């Protein structure tokens, strides 16, 4: 399970068009920005995690992000995230702290917001993304997502404060 933001379809399409057409990419429908990774979880923890997320009261107002630049973790190639990174960090911190206090800790690695586009180190993909800068898109909600057999299922979504 993980908590994530999904770029809107128009930005996913624009990013897809910027990449080499014959590159081995992850499916665009799976492209997301992970806020907190919870790891494997049987169905039982979904209700307590959702209850914790339902209890968040000081969420930031909607803010803007954009897909921009590139990076790599080992063989994983990703599109970077720009825009209001302070608001993104605030949202992530609130979610992470609430889940940790509720018994669902996440790892302590430094946070690098990104969208994984390929699990193969392809210099063409990274080169295509190196100067990429998509349009700003509004972040209005975040979602709890379950991954099972390579498929993602949004379990619940929460709006940001308005």
């Amino acid at each position: 399970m993980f908590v994530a933001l999904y770029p809107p379809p128009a930005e996913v399409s624009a990013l897809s068009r910027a990449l080499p057409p014959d590159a081995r990419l992850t499916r665009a429908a799976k492209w997301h920005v992970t806020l907190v990774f919870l790891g494997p979880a049987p169905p039982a923890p979904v209700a307590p995690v959702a209850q914790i997320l339902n209890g968040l009261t000081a969420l930031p107002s909607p803010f803007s992000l954009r897909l921009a630049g590139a990076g790599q973790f080992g063989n994983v190639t990703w599109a970077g995230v720009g825009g209001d990174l302070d608001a993104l960090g605030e949202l992530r911190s609130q979610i992470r702290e609430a889940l940790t206090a509720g018994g669902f800790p996440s790892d302590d690695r430094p946070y690098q917001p990104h969208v994984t586009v390929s699990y193969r180190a392809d210099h063409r993909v990274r080169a295509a993304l190196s100067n990429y800068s998509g349009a700003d898109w509004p972040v209005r909600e975040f979602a709890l997502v379950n991954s099972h057999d390579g498929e993602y299922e949004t379990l619940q979504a929460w709006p940001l404060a308005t």
Side-chain angles (χ1 to χ4, degrees):
M1 279 197 313
F2 56 93
V3 180
L5 306 173
Y6 281 93
E11 290 311 305
V12 170
S13 293
L15 180 62
S16 182
R17 287 190 306 272
L19 298 170
D22 61 338
R24 300 226 16 212
L25 304 173
T26 58
R27 286 183 296 128
K30 295 175 76 170
W31 291 352
H32 66 278
V33 178
T34 301
L35 295 172
V36 177
F37 181 73
L38 296 167
V46 171
V49 168
Q51 184 176 11
I52 291 167
L53 296 175
N54 284 334
L56 294 173
T57 57
L59 293 172
S61 297
F63 56 94
S64 293
L65 294 177
R66 73 181 159 282
L67 301 175
Q72 199 165 322
F73 301 130
N75 286 334
V76 174
T77 303
W78 46 264
V81 176
D84 192 346
L85 297 180
D86 288 339
L88 175 64
E90 177 186 336
L91 176 62
R92 179 183 184 272
S93 291
Q94 287 180 28
I95 292 169
R96 188 171 180 267
E97 289 169 11
L99 290 171
T100 298
F104 297 93
S106 57
D107 65 41
D108 288 331
R109 290 182 286 186
Y111 182 61
Q112 174 64 57
H114 66 278
V115 172
T116 298
V117 296
S118 178
Y119 287 105
R120 300 189 184 278
D122 183 336
H123 72 281
R124 298 171 310 136
V125 172
R126 189 157 179 193
L129 292 174
S130 65
N131 292 317
Y132 181 81
S133 185
D136 286 353
W137 49 275
V139 176
R140 293 189 176 103
E141 69 177 18
F142 63 93
L144 178 62
V145 181
N146 188 42
S147 175
H148 182 70
D149 292 332
E151 298 299 321
Y152 292 171
E153 174 190 11
T154 297
L155 302 173
Q156 188 170 341
W158 290 266
L160 297 184
T162 55

